Amino acid sequence: MSIHFHKLAVVDVRRETAECISVAFEIPGEIKSLFEYQPGQNITIKIRINNEEVRRSYSICSGPQEPELRIAVKEAPGGIFSTWANRELVKGHFLDVLPPTGRFIIHPDIKNKKRYLAIAAGSGITPVLSIISTTLHHEPLSSFTLIYGNRNRACIIFRDQLDALKNRFMERFALHHVLSREITDAEIYSGRITALKCEEMSANLIDFQLMDQIFICGPEAMIFEIKDWLLARKIAPNKIHYELFTIPVSAERDMSASPRIPAPAAANAVQPNKLQPETTTDTELQVSDVTVKLDGISFDFQLPFEGKTVLEAALDQGADLPFSCKGGVCGTCRAKLVEGQVAMDLNYALEPEEVEAGFILCCQSHPLTKKVVIDFDQK
Ligand code: FES
């Protein structure tokens, strides 16, 4: 088990659209097992550009059944890494890469007979392609429907690959392109993917209620609008999975005002009050003794209940912990709380069952107890 960066050679850079490339890596035999992945996971890349360390997470678009590990990188306006990669990255470059992480995943099972739906827009197709392709290959009795939104035909990332899947799995894969800036044959395929568009599709094309699992990936506004629309139609929350690529604007704006999310106390911990920090006196600064375990090695530091997060404090101490977004989105800093209790500012990466099992995001966690022990080695 390792959550450290590994230098990987870029073996192919393919232009997918005018704004997007896909990048394949060579994984040396001795670390192959570290880079095994579930469809839907992502990797984090670390690079210095103009003397600045940049870390970015990118979803894997290939499937575990394929011989390569490939990601897609869409050039974002002002994006330091994505701009560099789209203009400079070539075969033969080496990049520092963290092994795959992320919980926007599927566990294919040959016995499954399920109906899946994915709703993606733009580069949100990246993890979705991996999920669809793997499911169609490994679940011969399951079917997949994809609603995929783009500005126009030229912007459609992985158009050929999706067409190939459609041709191969004609009976089990339904593909609906929705274009916002190109006239389409049918009105229903024009515009953006909104709640209204889903309403229209549910009346004419797709029975959302029949879906066993629904995956949503794209811009934040689309994700939350569709998620709310699905919940309003009584679709069970545990059937809805979504993946954010950026920290939600609303979360950034409201973070100081929003209540923290309590992580359950570790099973063997002294139970503090559920939501309240352990108190000493009103005037005494409350400080926790924090232990972080990584690769079997422990290091200790003190951290006030209020102020820096566990991740920030640990990095200040020189710890080499895994992280990428620092915004509660990518899940790279996921670790297990084995003693004490913490509160998280935000969590867009962990499923409720994981939080229940004691997993936390270190980039969002603040201590609530005098002693906190966090273990990166437990999965
Ligand atoms: S670094 Fe991305 S969730 Fe913590």
Side-chain angles (χ1 to χ4, degrees):
M1 175 187 316
S2 168
I3 40 174
H4 297 288
F5 283 93
H6 298 268
K7 231 170 240 321
L8 299 184
V10 171
V11 288
D12 186 40
V13 178
R14 190 164 69 209
R15 182 141 298 280
E16 301 289 346
T17 68
E19 300 169 318
C20 181
I21 53 169
S22 68
V23 181
F25 295 94
E26 180 178 35
I27 317 289
E30 64 274 18
I31 55 169
K32 265 217 158 55
S33 61
L34 297 176
F35 280 83
E36 283 171 2
Y37 59 92
Q38 300 288 337
Q41 286 197 301
N42 62 75
I43 53 171
T44 296
I45 293 171
K46 179 176 74 172
I47 187 172
R48 287 195 83 77
I49 298 175
N50 298 331
N51 276 332
E52 188 188 335
E53 184 186 291
V54 178
R55 293 183 182 213
R56 293 287 182 272
S57 296
Y58 287 98
S59 293
I60 300 168
C61 56
S62 51
Q65 72 280 1
E66 295 174 42
E68 62 180 16
L69 187 156
R70 185 177 284 269
I71 58 169
V73 182
K74 184 175 178 186
E75 188 169 338
I80 300 172
F81 176 78
S82 66
T83 304
W84 175 84
N86 268 269
R87 298 175 189 190
E88 314 275 342
L89 184 64
V90 291
K91 178 180 174 181
H93 268 125
F94 282 82
L95 295 176
D96 288 317
V97 182
L98 271 186
T101 58
R103 317 306 293 174
F104 183 69
I105 55 174
I106 197 164
H107 296 284
D109 183 335
I110 196 164
K111 296 187 291 304
N112 277 347
K113 187 178 182 181
K114 291 188 175 182
R115 293 187 181 92
Y116 299 98
L117 169 68
I119 303 169
S123 57
I125 190 64
T126 313
V128 167
L129 176 66
S130 179
I131 289 171
I132 293 175
S133 159
T134 308
T135 305
L136 291 172
H137 279 93
H138 291 282
E139 294 190 3
L141 304 176
S142 295
S143 63
F144 226 117
T145 299
L146 169 65
I147 307 171
Y148 184 17
N150 281 285
R151 291 199 305 275
N152 53 45
R153 249 164 253 277
C155 294
I156 299 175
I157 305 168
F158 304 131
R159 189 174 160 193
D160 292 346
Q161 293 90 324
L162 289 167
D163 282 345
L165 284 174
K166 195 161 174 266
N167 290 336
R168 172 151 183 206
F169 301 102
M170 219 172 282
E171 306 292 315
R172 298 194 289 119
F173 181 38
L175 173 57
H176 303 284
H177 286 293
V178 178
L179 303 177
S180 61
R181 297 201 200 151
E182 190 176 307
I183 306 293
T184 56
D185 296 343
E187 181 60 29
I188 202 164
Y189 294 125
S190 293
R192 291 186 308 112
I193 303 177
T194 58
L196 202 62
K197 182 62 69 187
C198 290
E199 192 72 57
E200 231 183 302
M201 290 191 152
S202 86
N204 297 293
L205 270 183
I206 297 165
D207 192 340
F208 288 76
Q209 305 287 344
L210 283 183
M211 298 298 166
D212 294 296
Q213 300 291 324
I214 301 176
F215 299 87
I216 317 171
C217 193
E220 171 200 343
M222 183 198 86
I223 289 177
F224 290 126
E225 184 175 335
I226 304 300
K227 181 169 79 81
D228 290 347
W229 181 82
L230 293 167
L231 291 172
R233 262 134 209 89
K234 305 275 181 275
I235 292 183
N238 63 359
K239 291 185 174 180
I240 306 170
H241 313 274
Y242 66 90
E243 171 96 322
L244 286 166
F245 282 169
T246 54
I247 302 161
V249 176
S250 53
E252 282 187 304
R253 194 177 51 239
D254 297 343
M255 208 159 101
S256 56
S258 53
R260 287 179 174 166
I261 305 158
N268 57 351
V270 178
Q271 288 279 336
N273 291 338
K274 263 288 178 195
L275 303 181
Q276 297 298 322
E278 282 180 331
T279 52
T280 46
T281 69
D282 285 348
T283 52
E284 194 178 336
L285 178 65
Q286 297 186 79
V287 175
S288 178
D289 290 317
V290 178
T291 298
V292 175
K293 296 180 180 175
L294 177 65
D295 291 338
I297 297 168
S298 297
F299 61 95
D300 307 305
F301 55 93
Q302 291 200 311
L303 178 61
F305 285 17
E306 293 293 329
K308 291 186 174 180
T309 63
V310 169
L311 178 72
E312 287 169 326
L315 294 176
D316 285 352
Q317 302 287 322
D320 184 19
L321 299 187
F323 71 91
S324 179
C325 72
K326 288 190 180 173
V329 167
C330 71
T332 311
C333 64
R334 174 185 183 270
K336 186 153 190 188
L337 179 70
V338 291
E339 187 179 336
Q341 195 176 19
V342 302
M344 287 190 281
D345 290 323
L346 295 171
N347 169 27
Y348 292 102
L350 300 176
E351 297 288 341
E353 315 82 72
E354 294 179 280
V355 176
E356 202 49 48
F359 287 98
I360 60 169
L361 300 172
C362 290
C363 74
Q364 298 298 311
S365 293
H366 303 266
L368 285 176
T369 48
K370 299 281 185 55
K371 177 77 183 155
V372 163
V373 180
I374 295 164
D375 192 347
F376 273 85
D377 297 333
Q378 291 199 36
K379 293 293 162 198

